[in-house]
Amino acid sequence: GFNNELRSHLFGSVNKKSRWIRLRSREDTDVIEHCFNRVKSLGNELEDFFLGLDTEAWFLVDAWSQVYTGLNSRRRVVVGIINGTGTDIQIKQSRVEEGGSPCYIIPGIDYDHDQSMLKPGGGMLLFAWGSPPSFNNAGKVHINLETNAFLLEISDRISESSKALPFPGYQVKILEKSFDENGWWAKFWLLVKKTT
């Protein structure tokens, strides 16, 4: 079941740069759309649900090194969220405080788009990237997320403060917190649960 698979998957184990990733398109919105179409079919009833989500999160990090290259390179942040609360989590607001893109929400099958609800056992990705670095702009990425269970502030930098503030009755467990040694990407996985 859900808990057994969660325990057996090591988040971040798929983080391996591929030198020859095949992209149907190098347009950023096309890459996100293809990822969205793959993730929307992933549900917690699948045996490899967490592996699939983690693979897609890494795909975004890895593909971006081919979407934006050289002097046009962009920092990026992907955050995976798993609802282990047993109740719905409502996504109230997601925004990029600093960066060069909107905050893309890429949910699995267990997401109600009309109500912005991540259903119990569901998973989703948040993704954003920075503007090209320059003399005046470091091109950082900073994402904020507000839900009915927690607040989240995530940055692309290990030195910046990234934090999850759970509301009473909830807890947020960090399953993965990975950073590129040169500061080009950050990847997080969070499990939201109810306190016992």
Side-chain angles (χ1 to χ4, degrees):
F2 177 85
N3 288 326
N4 288 338
E5 190 197 338
L6 184 60
R7 276 192 291 273
S8 69
H9 180 69
L10 178 61
F11 286 89
S13 61
V14 298
N15 297 3
K16 295 172 183 73
K17 285 204 175 266
S18 57
R19 292 181 59 185
W20 307 110
I21 191 170
R22 288 192 171 191
L23 300 177
R24 291 185 196 160
S25 167
R26 292 192 189 275
E27 293 295 319
D28 52 22
T29 52
D30 289 343
V31 173
I32 290 170
E33 186 175 318
H34 291 138
C35 179
F36 183 91
N37 288 331
R38 290 187 302 267
V39 171
K40 75 179 181 182
S41 65
L42 296 175
N44 64 27
E45 75 288 344
L46 297 173
E47 187 176 310
D48 57 355
F49 174 55
F50 297 115
L51 174 62
L53 283 173
D54 199 16
T55 300
E56 291 300 331
W58 178 250
F59 167 81
L60 289 170
V61 168
D62 200 22
W64 237 245
S65 62
Q66 292 187 31
V67 172
Y68 291 107
T69 62
L71 294 176
N72 207 24
S73 295
R74 310 286 172 99
R75 300 183 198 291
R76 58 253 185 222
V77 173
V78 64
V79 182
I81 299 170
I82 299 166
N83 181 356
T85 65
T87 60
D88 292 343
I89 294 177
Q90 184 173 36
I91 309 303
K92 295 183 175 185
Q93 184 178 45
S94 62
R95 66 184 180 280
V96 175
E97 289 292 319
E98 184 177 3
S101 74
C103 182
Y104 288 91
I105 294 178
I106 305 171
I109 199 169
D110 301 305
Y111 185 79
D112 180 337
H113 291 271
D114 295 331
Q115 301 295 318
S116 298
M117 296 277 203
L118 183 60
K119 303 231 175 266
M124 64 186 283
L125 305 176
L126 301 175
F127 183 64
W129 64 90
S131 53
S134 67
F135 289 116
N136 301 328
N137 179 0
K140 292 183 179 181
V141 184
H142 190 99
I143 299 173
N144 284 356
L145 177 71
E146 179 183 351
T147 75
N148 65 323
F150 65 97
L151 296 174
L152 181 65
E153 292 181 20
I154 293 286
S155 170
D156 65 337
R157 301 296 247 224
I158 199 165
S159 60
E160 299 285 325
S161 62
S162 292
K163 58 187 169 208
L165 176 66
F167 292 136
Y170 294 95
Q171 60 182 330
V172 178
K173 181 179 179 184
I174 297 172
L175 302 175
E176 180 189 356
K177 186 177 182 181
S178 298
F179 293 90
D180 174 52
E181 59 197 31
N182 297 313
W184 286 105
W185 59 266
K187 180 175 170 256
F188 298 85
W189 272 101
L190 307 174
L191 173 63
V192 184
K193 297 178 80 175
K194 286 204 169 178
T195 54
T196 53

